[in-house]
Amino acid sequence: TSGSTGSPRGVMVRHPNAIATPADIAAAPRLAPDSRSLMWVPHYHDDGLVNGILQPLHTGFRATLMSPLAFIQRPARWLEQIGALQATHAGGPNFTYEVCLRKVGPDARAGLDLSSWTVAYNAAEPVRAATLRRFHDAFAACGLRWSTLRPAYGMAETTLLVSTSAPESGPVITAVDGPTLRDHGRAVPPVDPARAVDCVGSGRVIPSTRAAISDPDARRDLGP
């Protein structure tokens, strides 16, 4: 596991998991044989393994694997290759988009073509509303659409995907009262704009997965 919510642990993925998960993913982001993916995430990460290698084999579309080092050294390479390959699916954790904002300046953006990009998934760590807005504002002139940005949630314990945003809807962002969320675990409208915190929706749970809201102390499921 990535360890983003705790200490990293090993997860065993069996063959039935590896077969079932690509079928769920193909249906959620509308993957088809004419899709084209570009993956920089390493293959020992669940995203790199499933989205980068297993998914193209399952669905039968063209996939390009990019060295993680090549991306980290010069993030513009990733965006340049999306245009050169006319990739439809490419993504990564929230920091993927942050590092592009920091390292890809106006001059480099001028030659980018991101019009083919239909699914820019953002998952594996907290999705920041500010990152989504800034990334769209920075690259909209390159053909990036707001609907392309697709927040999702997943973890190695489920082989990869748990939930994903609906196609063409764009990110769903809701302001809630920060102290109430932090201190009581409840999402309510902010009583004061200064207390507002933007929460990004991670979409709907995929059909094969059951999600429950549970009390970790009482170890029982709660209501919706």
Side-chain angles (χ1 to χ4, degrees):
T1 69
S2 64
S4 58
T5 59
S7 299
R9 295 177 297 278
V11 173
M12 180 179 288
V13 176
R14 299 182 183 276
H15 287 146
N17 302 121
I19 293 171
T21 298
D24 289 332
I25 294 175
R30 295 184 178 175
L31 286 160
D34 61 350
S35 300
R36 295 173 299 280
S37 71
L38 175 62
M39 174 61 67
W40 70 265
V41 180
H43 64 267
Y44 51 78
H45 188 284
D46 57 351
D47 182 24
L49 173 65
V50 177
N51 268 334
I53 298 175
L54 298 184
Q55 195 64 55
L57 291 173
H58 175 274
T59 309
F61 58 82
R62 178 180 296 177
T64 301
L65 304 181
M66 181 178 186
S67 165
L69 185 59
F71 168 72
I72 297 299
Q73 285 176 334
R74 196 168 74 85
R77 287 187 177 122
W78 182 58
L79 300 175
E80 290 165 357
Q81 286 302 303
I82 289 174
L85 298 166
Q86 288 293 283
T88 57
H89 292 66
N94 194 83
F95 88 84
T96 306
Y97 303 93
E98 280 292 341
V99 76
C100 286
L101 286 167
R102 292 197 304 269
K103 300 291 187 179
V104 186
D107 291 343
R109 295 173 195 169
L112 294 176
D113 174 14
L114 304 179
S115 59
S116 66
W117 206 359
T118 57
V119 175
Y121 63 88
N122 184 329
E125 63 186 35
V127 181
R128 309 292 183 188
T131 303
L132 295 171
R133 293 183 178 119
R134 287 167 51 232
F135 190 81
H136 175 257
D137 290 347
F139 294 97
C142 306
L144 178 73
R145 298 173 294 277
W146 178 249
S147 61
T148 293
L149 303 177
R150 298 279 291 277
Y153 178 77
M155 52 187 177
E157 291 86 343
T158 59
T159 311
L160 184 63
L161 187 63
V162 173
S163 67
T164 186
S165 305
E168 308 304 329
S169 69
V172 176
I173 302 171
T174 302
V176 301
D177 189 75
T180 304
L181 180 66
R182 182 189 63 237
D183 299 333
H184 304 288
R186 293 170 49 233
V188 298
V191 297
D192 182 338
R195 294 164 53 113
V197 173
D198 281 337
C199 290
V200 180
S202 293
R204 295 180 178 273
V205 176
I206 59 176
S208 66
T209 298
R210 186 184 77 89
I213 300 173
S214 301
D215 183 329
D217 298 318
R219 297 192 176 187
R220 62 181 179 84
D221 287 353
L222 301 175

